[in-house]
Amino acid sequence: MQKIRVKIQREEDDSYDIIIGKDLFPQIAAGLKTLNLDKIAIITDSNVKKFYANTFLDMLKKEGLKAVLISFPAGEKSKTRQTKERIEDALMKYQLTKNSVIIALGGGAVLDLAGFVASTYMRGIPYLSIPTTLLAMVDASIGGKTAVDTPFGKNLIGAFYQPERVFIDISVLKTLSDTEYRNGLAEMIKHAVILDAKFFLHLDGYMHTLLTRDEDVIARFIQWSCKIKKVVVQEDEKELSYRKILNFGHTIGHAIEQVSNYRVSHGQAVALGMIAEAKMAEKKGLLNFMESQKIIDLLKKVKFETRIKKLSIEEILLATHYDKKKSQSEVRYVLLERIGKAKMDCTVRKEIAEKVLGDMT
Ligand code: GLY
């Protein structure tokens, strides 16, 4: 028997900047012109195409850049291997090369899908992210999780692939629906609740202004939220341990989304998930009542429903068992010790989970 060792050792630097500002599109176009790229492909969805994508494409063309726009029907339902294949065919037809760049322009589904396309096209080409929803600004744009959904579950095929740069243009928030805007606020609250009590206090104090979409205030809060998430992904990019802390509120939240057939919005489902998981911590003696009440009060300020309506508790609890992030046979929760301090890998007895959800109906 012979043995040949192929020694591949890596020290990679996939660091990137997140730029936050107003009316960034002209600057992005001018910046791309200096890069000597051979082609640019903007990947977006049918909603964003209507609002910004065509204007942005024109800006790129005016800079003398060779650019194409590829769009797919908006919605998580499009985030499939089939859509990925269609986009890849379009990229090959347009003869995008390794010296080209992909621009992911849209919400979470676009960023996940376009980032995944970038990670496998010609074994990986660079991409930029321009999130257009508040949720994507504070979540999907940081940490390089890219993926598509399959009939077996969400995000089951994907890669960790970091963008070259993220541009958060808060001017695009003007056209966001209320539901979409509140989806982002729920995620910001989650970041505060698990890791930053001071951020929680500020969110509480400024929630009224945030709901008016004051651009300067929202820019500061986006920056704060992104900083919290970036610390987590810097420590555990591949979600081997610490990154799981970001799942707070999502074990029950995802289950509610699934059982409601996605009629309950992500933000609303996570809000209910955060309440349920805070109450579980309370029942286990980890968190005191006053702390969970503060979380509920803040969620109420955002006009989130705090009761689970018209959904079966049994089905919700069953759905938590099929969460893809669950590696053990028992469901593991992220529970709170106080606002700003969370504990991972917690188990919750069935009776406690049933009681908490039952009390929320
Ligand atoms: N959305 C959670 C994460 O990026 O890990």
Side-chain angles (χ1 to χ4, degrees), residues 139 142 145 187 190 229 233 239 243 246-247 325:
D139 188 16
I142 315 148
K145 273 189 181 175
E187 212 62 28
K190 181 201 80 179
K229 182 163 178 189
V233 301
E239 198 171 331
R243 190 167 175 168
L246 299 171
N247 293 335
K325 287 173 182 142

Side-chain angles (χ1 to χ4, degrees), residues 9-122:
Q9 290 177 322
R10 294 202 166 88
E11 200 168 297
E12 286 173 36
D13 186 355
D14 280 339
S15 313
Y16 54 94
D17 292 327
I18 301 170
I19 312 293
I20 305 169
K22 288 183 211 170
D23 302 314
L24 294 178
F25 287 94
Q27 282 180 50
I28 302 170
L32 285 167
K33 197 185 168 174
T34 65
L35 294 181
N36 251 329
L37 294 166
D38 91 35
K39 284 176 186 172
I40 297 171
I42 303 170
I43 300 178
T44 194
D45 69 21
S46 48
N47 282 343
V48 182
K49 188 177 175 183
K50 275 189 289 204
F51 286 113
Y52 310 103
N54 279 315
T55 322
F56 185 45
L57 180 69
D58 289 343
M59 281 182 199
L60 297 179
K61 287 186 173 166
K62 274 202 190 106
E63 292 287 354
L65 295 160
K66 288 190 193 131
V68 68
L69 182 66
I70 300 164
S71 71
F72 58 87
E76 186 78 19
K77 281 205 173 74
S78 291
K79 212 180 92 180
T80 61
R81 282 174 280 180
Q82 291 73 24
T83 312
K84 181 170 183 271
E85 196 176 307
R86 278 200 293 277
I87 294 171
E88 287 159 347
D89 287 351
L91 296 180
M92 287 187 273
K93 206 165 152 201
Y94 187 61
Q95 296 181 332
L96 219 75
T97 70
K98 271 192 156 316
N99 192 35
S100 304
V101 73
I102 285 176
I103 299 181
L105 175 66
V110 173
L111 267 44
D112 286 5
L113 182 50
F116 189 30
V117 168
S119 78
T120 58
Y121 186 79
M122 294 190 164

